[in-house]
Amino acid sequence: MCQQSDWEVMLNGDPRDLRQLSEAGISTDYFRIWGGIDHWHDCLNDHFSFNSLYFENEQDSEIVWQVSYELVSLFNGASDFFWQDYRKLSIHGINFREKPVEFSEKIAVSGLLQRPAISPRKRNEELINALKASPRLGLLVLATEHHDVYMILKYLDLDRSWANYYKLMETVDSHAALKKLQLTDVPADRKAFTNTANNFSLAGFDSRHGFKQIVKANKTPAMKLEEAHAYITGLCKRYLQAAYPEYFG
C-alpha cells in the first residue's frame, strides 16, 4: 500500500522560511515540509521537500504532480497574504520511493481539493496543528474545503496587478454579502483604490476601464500598487475574522 511518505516533492524557495517551517516542532500532514539537513555529511543544506495526506494510497504520478501544484499555489497565496515581496515556492522534481518520476506540466484546472480520506476528528486536529504552526498553513487547510478562502488565496497567487486586486475585492464583497457580514472599511481608502484601478491614466493597460477615464476630473489621490496590496489584504483579513472567528477572531 502506498503511503504519503513514499512521495517527496522537492521545493525551490526561501531556505530561511522553509527551515523555520520545517523546524517549527508542529505542522500539518496536509503540507508537511522537511529537509535542510545533509545526513551523509552531518551538516545543514538548503534542500527542502514536502509530502501530503493527499498522496496517501496514490500511485499515479500525474495526480501527485497536479495536487502538488495546487498545494504550492495555495501556500504561495497564503504567503503573499502576509508578505508582498515573498519569494514563491516552486517544484523542481518529485520522487516516488526515492526514485524520480517523469515531469508533468501544470494543467489548467480549478476546484477545491476537498477533504482527504480522513475522519472529521483527524481533519480538525490537522487544522489546529496547522494554525499553531503558521497562519499560512491554517489558510491552506481551510482553502481545501471553503470556496471563499480558496478564492482569496488563488487570487493572491496570481500576478500582482490592479485587475487581479479589483477582482479579489469584488470576490470578498460578494462572499461578505452572501454571509450577511458587515465589514469595516475606510471610505477614502476604498475610493483611492477603486479610482486608481478604474482609471486608465493611472493604472495604464491594467485598468478596468478605458480611455474615457482620462478625460474625467479626478481629485482622489492615486494609490501605488504596494498600497493596493496592503488595502486588499487588509480587507481580506477583516473578512476572514468575521467569517471564521473561531480561527481568526
Side-chain angles (χ1 to χ4, degrees):
M1 180 179 293
C2 179
Q3 300 177 341
Q4 78 174 76
S5 58
D6 290 330
W7 294 95
E8 177 187 9
V9 183
M10 295 172 285
L11 294 168
N12 294 319
D14 183 346
R16 292 171 298 178
D17 185 41
L18 291 167
R19 187 174 304 282
Q20 183 178 14
L21 290 165
S22 68
E23 296 177 351
I26 189 169
S27 187
T28 172
D29 282 344
Y30 274 72
F31 195 74
R32 189 175 71 84
I33 298 172
W34 82 89
I37 300 176
D38 183 337
H39 293 286
W40 182 262
H41 296 98
D42 192 24
C43 63
L44 298 179
N45 62 27
D46 292 337
H47 301 156
F48 293 90
S49 303
F50 84 91
N51 58 28
S52 173
L53 280 168
Y54 289 101
F55 305 158
E56 199 80 22
N57 300 323
E58 186 56 67
Q59 298 190 49
D60 187 338
S61 64
E62 172 66 15
I63 291 178
V64 172
W65 269 104
Q66 299 309 319
V67 170
S68 298
Y69 283 132
E70 183 66 5
L71 288 169
V72 167
S73 173
L74 294 175
F75 183 81
N76 283 336
S79 298
D80 193 79
F81 192 96
F82 297 100
W83 304 290
Q84 60 178 302
D85 58 349
Y86 175 75
R87 177 185 170 187
K88 290 186 176 184
L89 298 183
S90 62
I91 300 169
H92 70 83
I94 295 181
N95 292 336
F96 177 66
R97 293 175 180 168
E98 300 184 351
K99 295 182 179 180
V101 302
E102 185 178 355
F103 173 78
S104 182
E105 293 280 357
K106 184 178 181 180
I107 61 176
V109 62
S110 178
L112 298 179
L113 283 169
Q114 302 183 335
R115 185 177 301 179
I118 56 177
S119 67
R121 179 178 178 180
K122 173 65 174 174
R123 182 268 186 186
N124 290 335
E125 178 182 305
E126 291 294 332
L127 177 56
I128 290 171
N129 288 342
L131 288 165
K132 287 180 179 179
S134 170
R136 293 178 287 169
L137 293 175
L139 286 169
L140 181 151
V141 173
L142 287 172
T144 63
E145 297 184 46
H146 297 273
H147 189 259
D148 51 352
V149 184
Y150 170 83
M151 292 298 293
I152 288 173
L153 299 192
K154 293 298 286 185
Y155 269 120
L156 288 173
D157 184 40
L158 296 175
D159 292 338
R160 294 156 190 158
S161 71
W162 288 102
N164 289 333
Y165 286 159
Y166 199 98
K167 291 174 185 175
L168 178 51
M169 181 193 71
E170 292 181 321
T171 297
V172 171
D173 287 347
S174 296
H175 281 288
L178 287 172
K179 293 179 181 290
K180 295 180 169 56
L181 301 176
Q182 295 293 326
L183 304 182
T184 59
D185 205 352
V186 179
D189 289 345
R190 174 164 290 229
K191 186 175 182 181
F193 173 80
T194 57
N195 176 77
T196 308
N198 287 331
N199 195 325
F200 181 87
S201 65
L202 298 175
F205 288 103
D206 198 25
S207 64
R208 297 180 67 253
H209 298 308
F211 181 84
K212 66 180 182 180
Q213 292 293 334
I214 298 176
V215 301
K216 292 186 177 181
N218 190 331
K219 298 181 180 180
T220 304
M223 267 190 177
K224 296 180 180 178
L225 191 60
E226 294 79 8
E227 295 171 322
H229 179 277
Y231 170 76
I232 204 66
T233 53
L235 179 66
C236 291
K237 289 174 185 178
R238 293 192 295 276
Y239 171 81
L240 291 169
Q241 289 172 334
Y244 301 95
E246 67 272 35
Y247 306 128
F248 304 112

